[in-house]
Amino acid sequence: MPVPKVFTTSDPDTFKLKALLWANSFDHVCYFDSNHYSDPYRAFDTMIAAGAIKKISRSTGNSFHDLDGFLASNEGFIPGYFSYDLKNELEDLHSSNPDHLGFPDLYFFIPDNTIFIKGSEVEISSTDPEATWEGIHNWDVKPQLDSTPVSIKSRFTKSEYKSTVNELKEHIQRGDIYEINFCQEFYAENADIDPLSIFIRLNTISPTPFSSFMKMGQRYIISATPERFLSRRGRKLISQPIKGTYARDSDKQKDEDQKKNLKTDEKELAENVMIVDLVRNDLTKSAKPGTVTVEELFGVYSFKQVHQLISTVVCERAEGLSNPQIIANTFPMGSMTGAPKISAMTLAEQYERSKRGVYSGAVGYFAPNGDFDFNVVIRTLLYNAESKYLSFHTGGAITIDSNPDREYAECVLKAKAIMEVLKQ
């Protein structure tokens, strides 16, 4: 049975790198890094889970119900992910677009080792915390391996993407939807990469508050996502949808102007407020009546490549709901669907050309005290080392005011850090 012990490090950043390299020697790894971003709901700076005592993997059936049973019969810190296509278990929907990755729809595991870093404090839970501490300290920080440059293709040409945006705007004009998150896949076949080195470079180029690296045998999630999907802290539930994106500028004054322009861009504000309304509606299914509130509307947050509009919606949790039920009540997250939710998901399936899979799902953890925290899987590489297939999606919210050229440019902007890491 794992036991916890607390240690102190004088160099947390070097320790977390060594711990990540050490963890990668296991078949199952989950790593979360806040990258020093300030967040009132953050439980730790960095978390690393390595080795699997037990796991649950589902691709069909009643996944949320099965997860409920798994959590009820197991204790401890339990990391994993929900795939976007679990929508098909929650609504009368389907996913028939090609899937080249072969990831399960749901995957969680109970780790042999968990490591939490908060400031200079390191808590290790394992069968022998002292041995784990020594093993990590003795691990060599070797130079990152160079991966072969990857040739990236897209499922859409620029003209095809713009044409599809115009078709979706026609649906909006007819009243079928108000907004839709439309995504395109970038991919590479026969890609020979070192996933951990790619993650370390991505996390350096694009540090974000919900960065994550997950390894499940031959399948990898390499993420630089800035977005929180849903968190529970005691009785409080927190969702922080992102909608609204402007590029950063190297000129300080121009960069400040970009932030001001984002804050006053009617199209970007409309995108955000529509999703805030959707999230408010989703949270009512799990909320004590009358407690859903918008804690922050249109907050401008800056990351290395982009400025983004982030809103925070909170509520008090209703009695009698399990954590998987709470997540199912809000899944998939509104920022990755559109509104109305079911109509938007139906049209996304019709116009997109690849199964989303883990993309626009959620990676996170359940804590032993009942809390949880899950991100939104965006700005993320997915890699199957067995088939050597590599994939990432980018997308944006299409509204009646969308300009197809701007929408395409936003997709390219969101792909910038990943392209840079892949030496494109």
Side-chain angles (χ1 to χ4, degrees):
M1 186 73 180
V3 293
K5 185 168 183 179
V6 176
F7 303 85
T8 302
T9 177
S10 59
D11 189 351
D13 286 335
T14 298
F15 179 82
K16 76 179 180 182
L17 176 58
K18 285 188 172 187
L20 175 57
L21 294 167
W22 168 86
N24 195 47
S25 65
F26 293 81
D27 283 339
H28 287 77
V29 181
C30 199
Y31 173 90
F32 300 109
D33 194 345
S34 68
N35 285 301
H36 304 292
Y37 278 91
S38 176
D39 175 5
Y41 301 113
R42 186 180 68 202
F44 46 75
D45 297 333
T46 305
M47 186 287 302
I48 303 154
I53 299 171
K54 196 183 293 186
K55 55 185 181 289
I56 178 172
S57 174
R58 293 289 184 272
S59 289
T60 57
N62 197 342
S63 300
F64 287 95
H65 177 268
D66 293 348
L67 178 61
D68 217 339
F70 184 79
L71 296 177
S73 59
N74 293 284
E75 297 179 346
F77 184 91
I78 303 176
Y81 73 78
F82 298 96
S83 161
Y84 170 80
D85 294 286
L86 288 170
K87 65 183 174 60
N88 305 329
E89 295 187 16
L90 301 171
E91 305 291 349
D92 184 18
L93 297 167
H94 68 279
S95 296
S96 57
N97 285 325
D99 173 21
H100 301 281
L101 283 161
F103 281 56
D105 284 340
L106 176 146
Y107 200 97
F108 285 85
F109 70 94
I110 300 169
D112 282 305
N113 309 272
T114 54
I115 302 162
F116 299 93
I117 304 169
K118 196 165 187 178
S120 60
E121 188 175 282
V122 178
E123 180 183 299
I124 298 176
S125 292
S126 71
T127 52
D128 190 345
E130 288 279 0
T132 300
W133 171 260
E134 290 300 323
I136 292 169
H137 266 287
N138 293 331
W139 202 269
D140 287 334
V141 181
K142 297 176 182 177
Q144 294 175 33
L145 297 174
D146 282 331
S147 296
T148 304
V150 178
S151 178
I152 298 294
K153 304 174 186 175
S154 174
R155 298 289 173 191
F156 287 83
T157 65
K158 183 177 181 180
S159 61
E160 288 171 338
Y161 182 87
K162 289 167 57 179
S163 175
T164 305
V165 169
N166 284 324
E167 289 184 61
L168 290 169
K169 288 179 68 174
E170 289 177 13
H171 282 282
I172 296 171
Q173 287 173 332
R174 289 199 295 267
D176 299 332
I177 49 171
Y178 307 115
E179 176 179 351
I180 183 170
N181 191 281
F182 171 54
C183 304
Q184 60 173 319
E185 184 195 20
F186 297 88
Y187 68 99
E189 297 164 309
N190 300 312
D192 190 12
I193 66 167
D194 177 61
L196 183 59
S197 295
I198 292 290
F199 171 73
I200 291 168
R201 286 206 291 268
L202 180 62
N203 200 40
T204 302
I205 290 170
S206 185
T208 58
F210 299 99
S211 292
S212 58
F213 173 81
M214 191 166 177
K215 173 185 178 182
M216 302 146 289
Q218 295 293 299
R219 291 172 174 83
Y220 295 84
I221 300 171
I222 303 164
S223 181
T225 176
E227 184 171 1
R228 170 180 275 128
F229 159 44
L230 190 65
S231 178
R232 174 182 167 184
R233 294 290 176 253
R235 298 193 57 81
K236 190 174 186 178
L237 303 178
I238 307 103
S239 184
Q240 294 180 297
I242 293 179
K243 271 288 164 277
T245 305
Y246 266 43
R248 298 292 305 265
D249 198 291
S250 56
D251 180 275
K252 190 173 181 180
Q253 184 55 54
K254 289 180 181 177
D255 196 52
E256 284 299 313
D257 290 342
Q258 285 287 81
K259 288 172 69 173
K260 292 175 185 175
N261 291 339
L262 175 59
K263 186 76 174 178
T264 57
D265 187 315
E266 291 186 7
K267 184 259 182 187
E268 305 292 316
L269 296 175
E271 281 184 23
N272 193 284
V273 79
M274 278 191 270
I275 298 307
V276 166
D277 284 343
L278 190 157
V279 170
R280 289 172 62 202
N281 182 65
D282 281 350
L283 282 181
T284 60
K285 303 170 190 174
S286 302
K288 185 178 177 181
T291 64
V292 178
T293 58
V294 180
E295 200 167 75
E296 182 182 31
L297 186 65
F298 307 146
V300 177
Y301 291 80
S302 300
F303 305 99
K304 209 157 185 180
Q305 276 81 28
V306 294
H307 301 296
Q308 305 229 245
L309 283 178
I310 305 179
S311 294
T312 300
V313 189
V314 302
C315 72
E316 186 178 339
R317 178 181 62 91
E319 299 290 347
L321 292 173
S322 69
N323 282 337
Q325 286 174 311
I326 291 169
I327 289 167
N329 283 343
T330 58
F331 196 84
M333 60 291 303
S335 62
M336 297 307 295
T337 62
K341 203 170 186 178
I342 295 173
S343 298
M345 288 190 286
T346 301
L347 285 172
E349 176 68 27
Q350 178 182 333
Y351 283 95
E352 292 174 3
R353 297 179 177 177
S354 309
K355 182 180 178 180
R356 289 195 189 181
V358 177
Y359 173 75
S360 64
V363 176
Y365 66 86
F366 295 100
N369 66 354
D371 287 355
F372 61 77
D373 205 358
F374 285 88
N375 66 23
V376 178
V377 182
I378 53 175
R379 321 286 203 278
T380 298
L381 272 169
L382 303 171
Y383 181 58
N384 186 325
E386 190 174 10
S387 65
K388 297 192 181 300
Y389 187 85
L390 179 151
S391 168
F392 66 97
H393 284 70
T394 65
I398 309 304
T399 68
I400 193 65
D401 295 322
S402 288
N403 176 292
D405 283 301
R406 271 189 67 181
E407 295 298 336
Y408 187 82
E410 184 175 319
C411 281
V412 172
L413 173 64
K414 289 172 177 176
K416 182 181 178 183
I418 292 176
M419 289 291 200
E420 189 176 335
V421 165
L422 295 173
K423 298 183 180 177
Q424 297 301 302

